[in-house]
Amino acid sequence: MLANRANCVVVSVDYRLAPEHKFPAAAEDSYAAVKWVVDHADSINVDANRVAVGGDSAGGNLAAVVALMARDKGEISLAYQMLIYPVTNHSYATESYTENADGYLLTKDSMIWFWNHYLNNEEDGQNPYASPLLASDLSGLPPALVLTGEFDPLRDEGEAYAKRLQEAGVQVEATRYDGMIHGFFWMPATLTQGKKSIEQAADALKQAFQGSIASA
């Protein structure tokens, strides 16, 4: 649906998975894949000046992290980052974790389980490439779309990341979908808000790509 509505090439990254391959394997693989796309853009009919990263949940984490890596390494330039209820911090000390710990598909216990399988140790959780919210500087990152759901344990950390991006001078479009649980983005056949969120993401991508054309 995103590919059709945004009229863009979509590259799905088969990064190594935990627990067999713990942090930072997934982040390094995702960055390597994006760099490959930029370096080999012509071979897959892609414009190297209009490459965006995006994902939901853990994929949103990796998208945000790849954007950080791209800025830090200075090897590639990204046009946009699409962050759908992203994981941004190895912490459970938010109101949304307390309010939505159980009963809304994604649970606090599940997130603890996921993090414990992903990280080698607690120290890893303080690394900005695991917890992008903890990065000391978020300036110089590509424009972002950040979508969150009202009844999602990850709501507050996603919104906190959007706020920090804005404070760092990054152009951000942030929307909370009221009444929605984690995962609503991939439920467009069932949830009107799911369909609406995909339309919003596709429109944001189209605008980002057109903006890159105008500034090129």
Side-chain angles (χ1 to χ4, degrees):
M1 292 178 73
L2 276 174
N4 291 336
R5 285 162 173 73
N7 192 29
C8 64
V9 174
V10 174
V11 179
S12 181
V13 180
D14 188 20
Y15 54 84
R16 286 172 292 171
L17 301 175
E20 292 81 7
H21 304 282
K22 292 180 178 288
F23 175 83
E28 291 178 343
D29 287 359
S30 296
Y31 175 80
V34 175
K35 186 175 185 302
W36 185 94
V37 168
V38 173
D39 291 344
H40 298 82
D42 289 344
S43 69
I44 55 173
N45 296 319
V46 164
D47 183 344
N49 295 314
R50 292 185 290 165
V51 175
V53 290
D56 74 305
S57 196
N61 171 277
L62 292 174
V65 168
V66 167
L68 281 172
M69 287 180 161
R71 181 202 64 182
D72 295 347
K73 294 177 183 291
E75 297 174 326
I76 58 175
S77 179
L78 298 175
Y80 203 69
Q81 50 180 327
M82 184 187 72
L83 312 179
I84 311 301
Y85 36 77
V87 180
T88 67
N89 193 16
H90 179 229
S91 172
Y92 316 103
T94 61
E95 286 187 14
S96 59
Y97 258 112
T98 300
E99 295 170 355
N100 309 311
D102 291 293
Y104 300 105
L105 189 64
L106 181 66
T107 66
K108 178 180 178 180
D109 286 346
S110 293
M111 283 303 302
I112 293 172
W113 188 87
F114 292 140
W115 273 116
N116 286 344
H117 280 73
Y118 184 56
L119 304 176
N120 295 283
N121 48 52
E122 287 295 311
E123 185 178 355
D124 278 351
Q126 302 303 303
N127 189 317
Y129 291 164
S131 297
L133 184 62
L134 301 183
S136 59
D137 179 16
L138 295 181
S139 63
L141 292 171
L145 171 69
V146 182
L147 303 185
T148 57
E150 180 182 8
F151 296 110
D152 185 348
L154 306 182
R155 180 195 69 209
D156 290 352
E157 64 193 79
E159 293 175 0
Y161 195 64
K163 182 179 180 182
R164 281 209 56 211
L165 286 170
Q166 290 174 324
E167 291 172 347
V170 177
Q171 182 180 343
V172 179
E173 177 183 351
T175 303
R176 177 193 292 188
Y177 278 77
D178 291 337
M180 291 296 98
I181 61 171
H182 189 83
F184 71 90
F185 188 78
W186 38 262
M187 301 178 186
T190 304
L191 300 173
T192 301
Q193 295 285 68
K195 183 177 181 181
K196 182 180 178 182
S197 66
I198 289 178
E199 297 285 359
Q200 181 181 2
D203 287 344
L205 286 171
K206 284 191 291 187
Q207 291 174 15
F209 293 148
Q210 290 168 358
S212 296
I213 293 173
S215 63

